[in-house]
Amino acid sequence: MPTQVTAHGTFVNPDEGLRVEAVSGSGFAMGFDSAPVAEGGVAASPTETVLAALMACTAMDVASILRKKRQPFLGYQIHATAEKRDEHPQVFTSIVIEHRLVGAMTVEAVRRSIELSATAYCPVSAMLSASVHIEHRYLVQRPEDGTNESGLVVVTGPAGGRALGAATP
């Protein structure tokens, strides 16, 4: 039987602005706003939260896989950039995710962890990949010798996923 996921939302102050407060089925509160901070907005837009959910989902996968592989990392940041259509509905047309890790892990372990997340484990990535071109990249920084390695791991999207070549120094 499929797992059911629920949420409840309340439109805040129907006379002004476009803000919704929601509570997930697991009890966590979230806010959404259509206005940016500069215009009095108090929360992220729904599309910003989708992008943030993608980052969180894939980062949790990658960190978990690296830990299972006993690959130590000292720091981990993830960065996402998305492009949206100008016309409505303003859906994402492309996304670039970059995993930025610091530590002594092997690049092959990082690459494989990102590939598994992007193609097998992250449900947010799977949902978005049905309609959006997503590039999954990495940057590994090694403080012990000052070297960096970066590369493109996999591209997912409506045409399917494809793993790419080796790292670039």
Side-chain angles (χ1 to χ4, degrees):
M1 175 176 230
T3 302
Q4 188 175 50
V5 178
T6 63
H8 172 77
T10 302
F11 197 86
V12 178
N13 195 354
D15 293 333
E16 62 182 64
L18 296 173
R19 195 169 112 217
V20 173
E21 292 179 356
V23 178
S24 68
S26 56
F28 293 97
M30 297 169 274
F32 304 88
D33 203 330
S34 66
V37 171
E39 295 174 16
V42 297
S45 74
T47 52
E48 289 171 323
T49 60
V50 169
L51 190 60
L54 172 60
M55 289 189 321
C57 183
T58 191
M60 289 176 186
D61 286 343
V62 170
S64 175
I65 294 166
L66 287 172
R67 287 177 183 151
K68 288 176 186 168
K69 291 177 174 276
R70 300 186 191 287
Q71 296 288 310
F73 55 92
L74 304 171
Y76 185 178
Q77 293 181 347
I78 187 162
H79 181 78
T81 303
E83 292 184 4
K84 296 190 316 183
R85 292 183 350 171
D86 290 332
E87 57 279 342
H88 291 280
Q90 293 178 318
V91 297
F92 292 135
T93 56
S94 68
I95 299 172
V96 176
I97 299 287
E98 184 179 59
H99 301 261
R100 299 172 182 172
L101 296 109
V102 178
M105 75 290 297
T106 68
V107 168
E108 186 50 42
V110 170
R111 291 178 59 80
R112 183 66 177 144
S113 299
I114 293 168
E115 182 181 359
L116 285 169
S117 174
T119 61
Y121 293 126
C122 176
V124 179
S125 184
M127 285 185 271
L128 288 172
S129 290
S131 61
V132 181
H133 172 93
I134 306 174
E135 292 184 8
H136 304 266
R137 301 180 159 276
Y138 69 91
L139 170 65
V140 173
Q141 299 173 311
R142 292 196 175 50
E144 66 276 3
D145 64 8
T147 61
N148 295 333
E149 293 183 61
S150 63
L152 177 61
V153 177
V154 64
V155 176
T156 60
R162 65 182 196 284
L164 301 167
T168 57

